[in-house]
């Protein structure tokens, strides 16, 4: 579609502003080292072997009583206390409650039925998890980084949280997100900023950034995330872990703030984030509940029969960064193998007024949230343009479904760049387009890590299938984990 002269001028202005922002960021002096020693670049690697086990293996050891649940929870509590001062991912813990629940698990295991019965009834028995703070977890804050909600405490569990607890999982606490889950850097005025375990000067992504960070730092086994424009997949990519955005409408979104309304309900998805690919499927089964049958997870997948499609980029745009060469190289290696809301409690917020307040340091909102609010106001003024975009999305969805069919998987970049430095996203605000397109299309996507690049930062790829073919992307993710090594310990390079 050709751009008008006014649109070309606006695009040029945005590009110049972006370059100016990046130039200014480059001129900023690095943080000064303390008098005793320089600040660490990354979190230290975990020392306890218990912290390196997938959820499935951990549950097996617990059922076999080869380790106690109290030992497991204590190991994770110790790890969080060790590294959370560096990454600021867990914003409120429930360690005492978790240890009490661990003691109850140990009692059940000492008195209860056989292993098979327990596995069927409690597939995640004793497994430590963390939950994105935007989801209700009883007794925990539920602010989504909004200052107006800083005193809000959840009085119930979100549906997926309840299902995970019923399956035996033990929540350790809630993790940070961007303000109102509206940006791809997890920073807000309630909890501050979350840092990347591989490089503390880098972002963790958003909005489920706390989950990505806490998983990569070996502070949790499983994470609960939500994704409306890449909010599971970007944090999973930047932090080198696995994340799955299910086919739209299967896993319930109930119990999170803000929840989606109107057309957004077809974009928002709740899904699992894990360090290990083998854990995605069992966690997804629990999260989906009765709807899991739609996802064909019981069907066996033959990788030899999958038709792979590969795209290096989205065709290029003046609004989006070009894809890093290192990301493309990692994707090509893989392809070769495969040739084979801003108000609360009814209070209206005016984005333009908040922007003016922000300029003089008086707004309680972050700049990205204000900017996105302004953008939404402008989009809503153009009713015909908005309808045209919806129509284009529907047409593209039909084309993608036809291309992928029942046995196709698309390999697509997760993001144009590796994890950028803090504040950089504001200079290229549309880079999330690489993930958001699949929210619009409603397709299932698994984010898969592909090792570390030359700067010691995670690389990765998105695996996309037609609707309800989640089983295909999950199977390919398990294969790639074996081929490329999956999650890599932070702090070792």
């Amino acid at each position: 579609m050709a751009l008008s002269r006014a649109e070309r001028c606006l695009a040029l202005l945005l590009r110049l502003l972006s370059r100016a922002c990046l130039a200014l960021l480059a001129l900023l002096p690095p943080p000064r080292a303390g008098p005793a020693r320089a600040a660490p670049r990354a979190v230290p690697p975990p020392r306890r072997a218990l912290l390196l086990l997938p959820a499935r293996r951990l549950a097996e050891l617990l059922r076999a009583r080869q380790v106690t649940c109290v030992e497991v929870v204590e190991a994770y509590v110790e790890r969080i206390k060790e590294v959370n001062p560096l990454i600021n991912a867990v914003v409120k813990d429930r360690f005492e409650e978790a240890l009490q629940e661990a003691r109850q698990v140990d009692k059940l295991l000492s008195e209860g039925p056989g292993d098979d019965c327990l596995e069927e009834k409690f597939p995640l028995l004793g497994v430590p998890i963390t939950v994105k703070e935007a989801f209700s977890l009883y007794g925990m804050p539920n602010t989504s980084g909004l200052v107006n909600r800083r005193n809000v405490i959840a009085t119930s569990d979100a549906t997926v949280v309840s299902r995970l607890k019923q399956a035996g999982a033990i929540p350790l606490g809630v993790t940070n997100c961007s303000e109102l889950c509206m940006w791809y850097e997890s920073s807000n005025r309630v909890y501050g900023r979350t840092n990347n375990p591989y490089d503390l000067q880098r972002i963790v992504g958003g909005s489920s950034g706390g989950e990505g960070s806490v998983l990569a730092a070996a502070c949790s086994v499983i994470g609960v995330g939500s994704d409306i424009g890449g909010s599971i997949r970007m944090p999973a990519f930047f932090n080198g872990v696995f994340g799955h955005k299910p086919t739209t409408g299967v896993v319930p979104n109930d119990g999170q703030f803000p929840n989606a309304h109107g057309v957004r309900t077809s974009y928002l998805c709740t899904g699992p984030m894990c360090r290990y690919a083998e854990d995605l499927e069992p966690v997804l089964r629990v999260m989906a509940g009765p709807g899991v049958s739609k996802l064909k997870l019981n069907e066996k997948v033959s990788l030899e029969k999958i038709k792979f499609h590969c795209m290096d980029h989205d065709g290029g745009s003046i609004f989006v960064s070009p894809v890093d060469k290192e990301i493309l190289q990692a994707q090509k290696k893989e392809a070769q193998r495969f040739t084979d809301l801003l108000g609360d409690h009814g209070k209206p917020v005016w984005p333009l007024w908040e922007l003016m307040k922000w300029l003089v340091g008086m707004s309680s909102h972050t700049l990205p949230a204000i900017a996105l609010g302004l953008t939404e106001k402008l989009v809503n003024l153009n009713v015909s343009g908005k309808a045209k975009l919806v129509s284009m999305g529907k047409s593209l969805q039909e084309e993608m479904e036809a291309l992928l069919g029942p046995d196709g998987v698309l390999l697509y970049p997760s993001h144009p760049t590796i994890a950028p430095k803090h504040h950089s996203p504001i200079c290229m605000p549309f880079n999330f387009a690489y993930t958001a397109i699949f929210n619009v299309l409603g397709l299932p996507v698994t984010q898969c890590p592909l090792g570390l690049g030359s700067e010691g930062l995670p690389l990765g790829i998105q695996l996309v299938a037609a609707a309800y073919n989640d089983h295909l992307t999950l199977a390919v993710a398990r294969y790639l984990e074996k081929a490329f090594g999956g999650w890599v310990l932070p702090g070792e390079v």
Side-chain angles (χ1 to χ4, degrees), residues 115-137:
D115 182 85
D116 292 340
C117 180
L118 281 174
E119 183 178 5
E120 183 178 347
K121 190 173 182 180
F122 305 112
L124 301 174
L125 187 63
V127 176
I129 68 169
T130 42
V131 177
K132 181 180 182 179
E133 200 259 17
F135 287 86
S136 295
L137 172 57

Side-chain angles (χ1 to χ4, degrees), residues 395-442:
S395 176
L396 181 57
Q397 181 182 28
E398 292 170 356
E399 289 183 33
M400 287 295 296
E401 290 281 357
L403 171 70
L404 293 170
D407 54 3
V409 171
L410 170 68
L411 313 179
Y412 194 73
S414 310
H415 198 77
T417 69
I418 56 174
K421 292 188 176 181
H422 291 301
H423 310 299
S424 295
I426 200 70
C427 302
M428 292 302 294
F430 299 108
N431 279 355
F432 73 96
Y434 274 81
T435 49
I437 183 62
F438 300 113
N439 294 83
V440 174
L441 302 180

Side-chain angles (χ1 to χ4, degrees), residues 31-44 47 82-83 85-86 200-201:
R32 292 183 178 180
R37 57 177 182 174
R41 176 181 184 266
V43 301
R47 298 182 293 271
E82 177 188 14
V83 303
L86 296 173
L200 302 177
Q201 301 304 313

Side-chain angles (χ1 to χ4, degrees), residues 440-463:
V440 174
L441 302 180
L443 304 180
V445 189
T446 303
Q447 167 59 41
C448 183
L450 298 176
L452 303 183
S454 58
E455 296 183 61
L457 295 168
L459 303 171
I461 193 75
Q462 291 186 95
L463 309 171

